[in-house]
Amino acid sequence: MTQRQKTVRETEKAIKYIKDTFSHNLAEALNLERISAPLFVTSASGLNDNLNGVERVVGFDIKNVGGVSAEVVQSLAKWKRWALGEYGFVAGEGLYTDMNAIRRDDDVDFYHSVYVDQWDWEKIITKDDRNVNYLKDTVRKIVKAISDTNDALEKIGQKNTTVCTDVKFVTTQDLEYMYPDKTPKEREQLITEKYKTVFIMQIGDLLASGQKHDGRAPDYDDWTLNGDIFVWHETLKFGLEVSSMGIRVDKASLLSQLAKAQCEDRKYLPFHKMLLEDKLPLTMGGGIGQSRLCMLLLQKRHVGEVQASIWPQQMRDDCEEKGIYLL
């Protein structure tokens, strides 16, 4: 057996261990139940995640269902909320699922791929839970589940890092005030290097400068109650985003954000009509990158070491020279 073969097979065993262990830890921490989820939805349903609103979906028609146009999901943000009500979940209960997606417009690099694999989760909350303290408490539970999974890697001889469980909470506006001469991406790196585990809050709306920290679709997260979890990757000296999450829009925040995004026509899509007619539960949820988490906990230098995707030939050649084995 060559060194490459040995490394790849050891990595694959560790990937399975991480995925099995973390999914259990996450479900226990947030009271989630695993359910099956679609790889694609109909274009007319309005259930696909529009992300930043500019990404092209991967679509196709289906010949035996009346020419229906379908789209590969970009995430399951809206579908999960619909499923919670459809399957009879109640406040305090939630679901998680394995989500696979193709994001054809993503720029591939050492931590971005056009293939997305993540744990998508969603939980029913009450009106009183729609606050920043509930959001922060949930973030802490997720970070502890990550840390516990990392500690469990000792059992298979694969513990290569530590995960700080003391989460730094900071808003995007705070970051702009702290680092006014830096770009949003540079701010993320600076704050994560300093505090190691960070939850950057309030993403999607305009900052005092008139710029956005980052884009967010207007119809799933409440822009005042969302954020991203970053954890410091010591080998790469890089702040790695492992989760995007938030408390979802209610009727008022949906209408406000649709107006700000100039896409009020979405009000007439089936999902949005259900929300505006109070036919959907109040929820919070997010996505946690499976390959990102494996990359972090195993201290891999390229996401292609923990997932099979397509990369530019020059990137593959460069990785080969550095002893980085892409799947």
Side-chain angles (χ1 to χ4, degrees):
M1 183 183 297
T2 67
Q3 181 59 43
R4 179 192 182 100
Q5 291 169 335
K6 183 174 183 293
T7 299
V8 168
R9 291 179 65 177
E10 287 177 347
T11 297
E12 290 284 12
K13 290 176 183 177
I15 290 170
K16 182 179 187 303
Y17 187 81
I18 288 171
K19 291 185 176 182
D20 290 346
T21 304
F22 179 75
S23 59
H24 171 79
N25 290 343
L26 180 69
E28 287 288 312
L30 301 185
N31 192 28
L32 307 178
E33 178 181 332
R34 191 192 182 282
I35 67 165
S36 300
L39 176 61
F40 43 84
V41 294
T42 66
S43 303
S45 69
L47 285 173
N48 208 350
D49 182 352
N50 298 99
L51 301 178
N52 294 323
V54 297
E55 293 86 354
R56 297 173 300 158
V57 299
V58 176
F60 56 96
D61 61 359
I62 306 173
K63 69 175 184 178
N64 288 330
V65 290
V68 166
S69 177
E71 300 173 351
V72 176
V73 298
Q74 296 195 109
S75 90
L76 295 170
K78 301 189 189 77
W79 181 88
K80 293 177 297 180
R81 189 170 183 176
W82 168 84
L84 285 170
E86 185 73 9
Y87 298 161
F89 286 77
V90 298
E93 298 179 339
L95 60 84
Y96 78 95
T97 188
D98 294 286
M99 191 282 291
N100 296 291
I102 302 171
R103 296 184 183 172
R104 61 192 291 192
D105 288 329
D106 276 11
D107 295 323
V108 299
D109 54 29
F110 70 93
Y111 70 111
H112 284 108
S113 170
V114 296
Y115 168 59
V116 179
D117 56 340
Q118 65 185 34
W119 291 281
D120 253 334
W121 66 274
E122 198 82 8
K123 182 176 182 177
I124 296 182
I125 60 175
T126 68
K127 184 177 180 180
D128 290 339
D129 294 329
R130 297 192 81 258
N131 61 73
V132 70
N133 288 330
Y134 191 88
L135 176 65
K136 288 181 177 180
D137 182 60
T138 303
V139 170
R140 293 188 185 99
K141 290 178 180 178
I142 293 172
V143 170
K144 185 177 186 303
I146 293 173
S147 178
D148 288 347
T149 302
N150 181 61
D151 291 342
L153 285 170
E154 284 186 338
K155 297 176 183 178
I156 60 170
Q158 287 283 357
K159 186 175 179 182
N160 300 309
T161 189
T162 59
V163 176
C164 175
T165 56
D166 184 12
V167 184
K168 172 66 175 178
F169 294 93
V170 62
T171 69
T172 53
Q173 188 58 68
D174 290 336
L175 285 181
E176 185 176 64
Y177 289 144
M178 292 166 66
Y179 308 111
D181 59 337
K182 303 296 183 182
T183 67
K185 296 302 179 187
E186 290 170 339
R187 294 169 195 155
E188 291 170 350
Q189 292 303 309
L190 288 167
I191 198 73
T192 308
E193 181 177 13
K194 183 174 182 180
Y195 292 101
K196 307 310 177 188
T197 302
V198 181
F199 187 61
I200 299 175
M201 301 185 292
Q202 299 181 4
I203 301 173
D205 212 341
L206 295 177
L207 301 172
S209 63
Q211 303 298 313
K212 288 186 177 183
H213 179 86
D214 200 358
R216 281 293 189 278
D219 45 10
Y220 61 101
D221 283 348
D222 184 323
W223 291 343
T224 67
L225 292 168
N226 69 354
D228 292 340
I229 299 174
F230 283 80
V231 182
W232 187 248
H233 190 301
E234 185 60 34
T235 299
L236 290 171
K237 306 298 181 187
F238 184 80
L240 194 65
E241 180 193 332
V242 296
S243 178
S244 178
M245 58 175 286
I247 290 173
R248 306 308 194 188
V249 289
D250 58 7
K251 185 187 301 186
S253 55
L254 173 66
L255 291 173
S256 172
Q257 291 175 188
L258 287 179
K260 289 178 179 179
Q262 298 183 336
C263 51
E264 292 176 281
D265 56 316
R266 293 188 194 175
K267 290 188 296 186
Y268 305 105
L269 292 171
F271 170 84
H272 302 70
K273 288 175 66 176
M274 289 177 69
L275 198 158
L276 293 172
E277 293 170 2
D278 296 317
K279 295 179 179 178
L280 292 174
L282 296 174
T283 67
M284 72 178 305
I288 302 167
Q290 296 187 5
S291 292
R292 289 274 183 94
L293 186 62
C294 292
M295 184 182 173
L296 171 72
L297 299 188
L298 298 176
Q299 289 293 284
K300 296 297 185 180
R301 292 174 286 169
H302 195 291
V303 70
E305 295 180 87
V306 294
Q307 68 156 239
S309 187
I310 296 175
W311 313 100
Q313 188 58 48
Q314 185 60 54
M315 182 181 290
R316 299 193 73 93
D317 293 342
D318 291 344
C319 287
E320 190 77 23
E321 288 181 10
K322 297 173 182 176
I324 299 173
Y325 305 131
L326 302 186
L327 301 181

